[in-house]
């Protein structure tokens, strides 16, 4: 069955395209891209809409296996499609963690049966994510992992990290580092500074991140591995990454939508939905992250989608878990903060949310719209406004500080391999 996407503005930085075209899709693949490709029985008029390569998230917590009450592969991928994503990398801090071939196979099989979009598994660096003994990185990469990470926790032992980098290089996968010195961050809840003092909450100094960014850059220089730094939050980290890139170190980095839109001040009413790790930082840091995105120091925007139940979040600040959901608000937040305020063009934003994540993963079949490739396509109505409330979310968890806010610029159609993974029924009624 053919599907025709008519008259949308294709924004595809990997192919240097920003122009109005039709796209003809057949058997899940892009068959033709051109002007006025005629009529089809199944067609969508997308005039005035932006047509992007499906968004790619390098950092998603799908929680399956183990915490299916908060998210499953089925619900998490439905939320991802709702947010315009067609590929997500599933972090291994599940219960049990994905630290063996059988775990990797479980994620791959379940996502192929129940997933709405593509799921690329990430394996743990160390067994049980304890930071001590390495996992069977080679066997897991043969089974299909695209990266290794102990995300949620840093790897404190530099010798273990060095060996992990050597293995990741040997097997051609990336190492995603959660940069946190746990001795420094211990018992901390929010950024250390005036706000933490005023609120009476124990702080996490920015140095807990900076020290590990510096160490991992040094180890990447030593080992030559492809190092990707997760959820960068401090101005000093951005400087270190900029310098490392100038010296030719093989390092890439991401920021989250929340760290570029919120600061520690947003926690003011002890809002546990603002409790994230690494914590929201200062206005100076927030601006430095955006400068990093602008000058290319920061390669991509990743969600760190971290679902938690209301019953877990509605506790004292100290007892509430770290994390907020992100897949469904990432694109409108980035549009608002970066594109509508003229800091990045729409094409640059698509680079950060699709083309660059694909090239970091070294996957040439995603992150672009091209004849012969899978039709992974996201259609955005840049003018569509929605109020974020509980009903808005397809994720099983609703722990978002953006509830009650109005955002603009939402996906209205997400195609994964030519099939509809999400469609806004109000728009296409
Ligand atoms: O806030 C966070 N939540 N940061 C992490 O690194 C882990 C995540 C989670 O898994 O909940």
């Amino acid at each position: 069955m053919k599907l025709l996407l008519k008259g949308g503005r294709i924004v595809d930085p990997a192919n240097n395209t920003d122009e109005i075209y039709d796209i003809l899709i057949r058997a899940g693949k892009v068959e033709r891209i051109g002007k006025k490709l005629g009529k089809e029985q199944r067609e969508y008029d997308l005039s005035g809409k932006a047509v992007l390569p499906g968004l790619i998230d390098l950092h998603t917590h799908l929680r399956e296996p183990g915490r299916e009450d908060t998210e499953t592969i089925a619900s998490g991928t439905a939320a991802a499609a709702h947010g315009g994503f067609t590929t997500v990398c599933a972090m291994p801090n599940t219960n049990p963690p994905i630290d063996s071939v059988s775990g990797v196979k479980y994620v791959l099989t379940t996502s192929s049966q129940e997933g709405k979009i593509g799921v690329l598994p990430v394996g743990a660096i160390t067994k049980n994510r304890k930071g001590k003994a390495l996992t069977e990185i080679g066997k897991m990469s043969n089974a299909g992992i695209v990266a290794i990470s102990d995300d949620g926790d840093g790897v404190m032992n530099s010798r273990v990290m060095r060996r992990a980098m050597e293995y990741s290089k040997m097997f051609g996968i990336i190492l995603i580092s959660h940069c946190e010195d746990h001795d420094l961050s211990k018992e901390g809840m929010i950024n250390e500074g005036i706000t933490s003092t005023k609120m009476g909450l124990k702080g996490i100094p920015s140095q807990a991140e900076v020290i590990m960014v510096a160490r991992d850059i040094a180890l990447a220089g030593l080992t030559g591995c492809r190092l990707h730094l997760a959820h960068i939050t401090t101005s000093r980290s951005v400087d270190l990454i900029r310098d490392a890139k100038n010296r030719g170190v093989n390092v890439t980095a991401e920021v989250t939508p929340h760290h570029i839109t919120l600061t520690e001040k947003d926690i003011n009413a002890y809002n546990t939905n603002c409790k994230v790790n690494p914590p929201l930082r200062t206005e100076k840091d927030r601006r430095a992250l955006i400068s990093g995105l602008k000058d290319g120091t920061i390669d991509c925007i990743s969600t760190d989608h971290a679902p938690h139940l209301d019953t877990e979040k509605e506790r004292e600040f100290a007892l509430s878990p770290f994390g907020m959901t992100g897949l469904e608000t990432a694109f409108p937040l980035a549009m608002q903060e970066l594109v509508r305020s003229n800091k990045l063009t729409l094409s640059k934003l698509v680079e950060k949310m699709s083309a660059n994540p694909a090239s970091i993963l070294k996957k040439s079949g995603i992150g672009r719209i091209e004849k012969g490739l899978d039709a992974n396509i996201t259609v955005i109505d840049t003018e569509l406004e929605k109020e974020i409330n509980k009903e808005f979310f397809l994720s099983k968890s609703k722990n978002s500080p953006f509830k009650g806010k109005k955002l603009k610029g939402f996906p209205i159609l997400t195609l994964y391999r030519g099939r509809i993974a999400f469609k806004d029924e109000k728009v296409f009624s």
Side-chain angles (χ1 to χ4, degrees):
M1 185 71 138
K2 291 184 191 175
L3 174 64
L4 184 62
L5 305 182
K6 282 179 77 156
R9 170 187 166 201
I10 301 189
V11 183
D12 178 13
N15 284 306
N16 234 329
T17 303
D18 188 343
E19 210 176 322
I20 291 171
Y21 284 116
D22 292 356
I23 304 174
L24 184 64
I25 295 162
R26 198 167 72 152
K29 308 267 184 202
V30 173
E31 187 166 87
R32 279 182 74 192
I33 303 170
K35 300 274 181 195
K36 306 227 168 14
L37 296 182
K39 275 192 83 58
E40 290 296 332
Q41 222 176 0
R42 278 179 79 217
E43 61 176 36
Y44 292 109
D45 176 6
L46 301 181
S47 45
K49 310 291 186 285
V51 179
L52 320 178
L55 307 180
I56 301 168
D57 188 17
L58 294 180
H59 197 143
T60 305
H61 297 276
L62 291 176
R63 301 289 191 232
E64 187 175 350
R67 283 306 306 271
E68 291 84 352
D69 52 336
T70 61
E71 199 76 288
T72 59
I73 289 174
S75 68
T77 54
H82 185 213
F85 292 89
T86 53
T87 307
V88 296
C89 294
M91 280 298 175
N93 63 336
T94 47
N95 189 12
I98 306 303
D99 63 357
S100 66
V101 169
S102 60
V104 176
K105 285 188 176 156
Y106 177 81
V107 174
L108 284 171
T109 313
T110 311
S111 54
S112 71
Q113 288 166 353
E114 295 168 22
K116 294 256 185 223
I117 57 151
V119 175
L120 302 174
V122 178
I125 295 175
T126 61
K127 287 189 185 148
N128 224 357
R129 299 176 52 258
K130 291 281 184 234
K132 298 275 189 299
L134 290 182
T135 54
E136 293 188 306
I137 296 166
K139 285 187 180 161
M140 288 197 297
S141 65
N142 290 338
I145 58 168
V146 292
I148 46 172
S149 181
D150 271 1
D151 182 65
D153 290 303
V155 175
M156 286 291 285
N157 184 315
S158 304
R159 183 185 169 87
V160 170
M161 192 57 139
R162 175 198 180 165
R163 292 283 176 247
M165 287 189 183
E166 287 168 346
Y167 277 104
S168 82
K169 180 167 190 221
M170 205 184 302
F171 293 100
I173 55 175
I174 48 175
L175 187 145
I176 304 179
S177 178
H178 170 116
C179 294
E180 177 176 355
D181 181 322
H182 288 276
D183 292 320
L184 271 180
S185 64
K186 206 170 176 181
E187 290 163 12
M189 287 172 259
I190 67 171
N191 183 47
E192 183 175 299
I194 293 170
T195 307
S196 65
T197 308
K198 276 189 189 158
M199 295 183 77
L201 296 174
K202 195 158 172 2
I204 301 173
S206 59
Q207 285 77 3
E209 172 178 301
V210 173
I211 286 169
M212 286 315 208
V213 168
R215 182 203 70 175
D216 287 348
I217 286 171
L219 291 177
L222 177 66
T223 60
C225 89
R226 282 157 57 210
L227 170 67
H228 179 72
L229 301 173
H231 43 48
I232 287 305
T233 64
T234 81
S235 149
R236 187 76 193 113
S237 303
V238 177
D239 292 341
L240 287 170
I241 298 161
R242 188 178 291 117
D243 171 68
K245 285 189 167 186
N246 286 337
R247 291 186 292 109
V249 180
N250 205 346
V251 59
T252 54
E254 68 187 31
V255 292
T256 70
H258 44 278
H259 289 109
I260 59 170
T261 51
L262 302 173
T263 69
E264 55 182 1
K265 294 224 166 89
D266 291 290
I267 314 166
N268 57 17
Y270 296 85
N271 180 355
T272 55
N273 283 331
C274 285
K275 183 178 174 187
V276 283
N277 186 27
L280 301 175
R281 302 281 186 189
T282 65
E283 180 60 15
K284 176 171 170 264
D285 292 309
R286 191 186 76 83
R287 284 171 192 250
L289 302 182
I290 294 174
S291 301
L293 280 167
K294 282 173 79 170
D295 72 11
T297 302
I298 305 294
D299 304 84
C300 52
I301 298 172
S302 308
T303 70
D304 197 2
H305 177 78
H308 294 287
L309 296 180
D310 282 353
T311 47
E312 296 170 300
K313 276 291 189 181
E314 286 165 7
R315 302 181 70 186
E316 300 93 301
F317 202 90
L319 298 178
S320 151
F322 290 101
M324 67 171 80
T325 63
L327 287 166
E328 296 168 88
T329 46
F331 195 82
L333 284 173
M335 273 293 288
Q336 165 193 297
E337 189 56 48
L338 304 170
V339 180
R340 228 168 279 116
S341 58
N342 293 320
K343 290 173 196 132
L344 291 187
T345 60
L346 180 57
S347 179
K348 272 279 166 208
L349 177 60
V350 177
E351 234 176 76
K352 306 287 180 192
M353 296 186 78
S354 183
N356 288 353
S359 66
I360 289 169
L361 292 167
K362 287 208 191 306
K363 298 235 175 246
S364 54
I366 55 174
R368 52 179 67 222
I369 302 175
E370 222 170 275
K371 186 177 166 180
L373 293 185
D374 282 345
N376 292 347
I377 292 174
T378 297
V379 181
I380 305 285
D381 182 343
T382 55
E383 298 307 307
L384 180 62
E385 214 173 60
K386 290 188 187 183
E387 188 184 312
I388 309 303
N389 51 32
K390 278 199 166 181
E391 292 66 47
F392 164 80
F393 292 103
L394 297 187
S395 169
K396 276 194 169 187
S397 295
K398 329 283 175 194
N399 52 307
S400 165
F402 301 104
K403 275 182 294 193
K405 298 242 158 42
K406 273 199 175 145
L407 299 177
K408 197 161 111 175
F410 284 89
I412 53 171
L413 184 68
T414 306
L415 301 178
Y416 175 64
R417 295 185 168 164
R419 276 211 302 266
I420 294 171
F422 165 71
K423 182 164 87 168
D424 189 326
E425 298 294 346
K426 282 197 191 128
V427 177
F428 299 103
S429 51

